[in-house]
Amino acid sequence: MEPLILALGWVGLYAPLALGAVGSMIGCARAGSAACGALLEVESGHGRYIGVAAMPSSQTIYGIVVTMALRRELSVENSPGIFGLGLLAGLALLFSASAQGSACAASINVSKNKLEIFGISLAPAALVEGFAVFAFVFALVLAAGIPK
Amino acid sequence: MAEPYITLVSSLPYLPPFEQAERSPITRLRLEQRLHNLDTDDARQLAKAEALVSWRMSLAKPKTDADMVLRSRAAMQDISQAALRDFIEFRIDQQVILAGLRLRNAGHDASALEPISGASRWVRHIATHWSDPNFKLAAVYPWIGEARGYLDGNNAAALDSLMMRVIWQRLGPIAESNKFGFEAVFAFVFKWDILQAWLARDAAQAKSRFQDLIKEIKNDS
């Protein structure tokens, strides 16, 4: 039983980074695809679209920080906590990055035709980022309560 | 959420409402270049659908109603995309209803629908309700009354405009149902087709062409 609990601890330890990275890959690919399409249609402001396409990469950074915060000597006492916290934080980061990619793609798609709505069209992506930040911050807060 | 055509959809320009458009935002050549990103099967289905129900194809109708029914049946067997099938059925229904209104205006009875009996689910219904002004279909197709008014008043231009508007409005929700999918792509293509047809309308040219046709008929007789 003890090896299984320790294995789950390792899963939880690496989950925020791995799942956050998977989410960022999906999100950046979606938004990047939209940016590539928009580049065919617009004459200028290409950097703006590529910049928006990079927005879902922040979840990987959050994942790195959470993984670092959870890092400690794994034991039977702390592994279940690390597993639960790490896995759920990772899933939150995965889904938020993926959803943010869709929001960024939509923003790029509409703002290429109407530049003046570029800022406001990013609001949904910013909201999604906000939820990712909640998941990130509270993962850090709760990580402090897991036994060393 | 499958979004296979993100790049393709993002590379398509905004289409203004066709009645407000002053020029086409994209040429056919450029549109076809962009459509090369379609999956082979989707491209084939779109080409079949365009050949069947695009606005400009409806101007080059097959020789007989029976031909039209055969063509549509053959094409529908090859089209598996549910949204595209729904749109084609909507367009065929629209054409069948207009055909019914025209036949009735020309003094025919319901038996005149016989050649198109397999074209649409509504043919039998229209024949049954031949004497009703809107074939008892106004609840399903609210535009029938207005279309009938234009037909009665021989106002072909207004009828065309109404039909274009109805199709345009139908395509809006289709595109929204999958913003980065095949639905958005084919909705764009059919909207673009309507916009092109609208921009190609030239009253002076049409009048001149009409007068030429009258002269031809007079010379023949």
Side-chain angles (χ1 to χ4, degrees):
Chain A
M1 194 65 181
E2 190 176 331
L4 176 65
I5 294 171
L6 290 176
L8 290 176
W10 280 106
V11 170
L13 187 58
Y14 196 58
L17 173 51
L19 297 179
V22 170
S24 293
M25 291 171 207
I26 297 168
C28 287
R30 273 184 191 159
S33 300
C36 290
L39 296 186
L40 287 171
E41 259 304 293
V42 296
E43 299 298 326
S44 61
H46 298 159
R48 178 187 302 126
Y49 298 117
I50 300 299
V52 171
M55 270 181 84
S57 55
S58 59
Q59 279 80 352
T60 300
I61 298 167
Y62 301 153
I64 291 171
V65 176
V66 174
T67 291
M68 295 307 289
L70 290 173
R71 191 172 171 221
R72 66 204 65 200
E73 185 80 29
L74 290 174
S75 65
V76 176
E77 286 74 35
N78 63 19
S79 287
I82 290 174
F83 173 73
L85 197 61
L87 184 67
L88 291 176
L91 287 173
L93 295 176
L94 188 156
F95 286 118
S96 72
S98 166
Q100 195 176 41
S102 298
C104 289
S107 164
I108 290 165
N109 190 34
V110 297
S111 62
K112 76 173 192 289
N113 300 311
K114 205 172 178 185
L115 190 56
E116 59 270 31
I117 60 167
F118 178 71
I120 194 73
S121 70
L122 279 175
L127 279 171
V128 175
E129 182 77 26
F131 293 117
V133 170
F134 285 142
F136 165 61
V137 170
F138 280 88
L140 294 183
V141 170
L142 293 174
I146 296 176
K148 290 281 181 189
Chain B
M1 181 169 52
E3 294 171 337
Y5 294 130
I6 296 178
T7 306
L8 171 56
V9 173
S10 292
S11 72
L12 299 173
Y14 168 70
L15 285 182
F18 70 93
E19 286 163 307
Q20 296 167 18
E22 292 174 358
R23 63 182 182 82
S24 175
I26 187 168
T27 63
R28 179 77 209 185
L29 178 66
R30 186 156 283 192
L31 178 59
E32 278 177 2
Q33 285 172 347
R34 304 275 160 89
L35 292 178
H36 280 152
N37 290 321
L38 274 174
D39 169 78
T40 313
D41 191 47
D42 285 348
R44 182 184 56 75
Q45 293 189 37
L46 179 57
K48 290 231 174 206
E50 273 196 282
L52 196 62
V53 295
S54 71
W55 184 267
R56 283 177 298 167
M57 283 310 293
S58 70
L59 301 176
K61 287 192 170 83
K63 283 177 183 169
T64 65
D65 290 337
D67 284 345
M68 192 271 280
V69 175
L70 283 175
R71 260 180 42 171
S72 64
R73 279 185 179 165
M76 287 296 264
Q77 281 179 348
D78 277 347
I79 293 173
S80 58
Q81 289 276 1
L84 187 56
R85 286 180 69 91
D86 284 350
F87 177 69
I88 291 170
E89 282 170 7
F90 169 79
R91 285 284 288 130
I92 291 174
D93 290 348
Q94 191 185 39
Q95 288 171 1
V96 163
I97 291 165
L98 281 181
L101 289 171
R102 285 194 172 108
L103 287 168
R104 194 175 58 186
N105 263 20
H108 294 280
D109 61 22
S111 64
L113 290 172
E114 192 58 35
I116 55 169
S117 57
S120 158
R121 62 196 159 139
W122 295 116
V123 175
R124 188 184 293 266
H125 180 94
I126 291 170
T128 308
H129 301 285
W130 191 250
S131 56
D132 184 89
N134 298 328
F135 303 131
K136 290 203 171 169
L137 283 173
V140 188
Y141 300 104
W143 48 266
I144 292 183
E146 193 178 345
R148 186 167 48 78
Y150 293 138
L151 271 174
D152 292 346
N154 287 324
N155 193 346
L159 180 64
D160 271 2
S161 172
L162 171 66
M163 291 300 101
M164 287 175 170
R165 209 160 47 241
V166 168
I167 299 167
W168 191 278
Q169 285 166 357
R170 177 81 177 193
L171 289 166
I174 291 174
E176 287 296 309
S177 70
N178 191 0
K179 285 181 182 172
F180 291 107
F182 180 62
E183 289 81 354
V185 177
F186 86 72
F188 182 93
V189 170
F190 284 110
K191 277 186 166 184
W192 178 86
D193 169 62
I194 288 173
L195 194 142
Q196 285 295 110
W198 178 263
L199 292 173
R201 284 172 22 142
D202 184 331
Q205 197 181 4
K207 191 175 176 184
S208 161
R209 171 75 181 139
F210 181 70
Q211 284 167 345
D212 289 346
L213 285 171
I214 296 288
K215 278 180 196 165
E216 274 179 39
I217 291 166
K218 280 182 178 170
N219 290 339
D220 283 348
S221 57

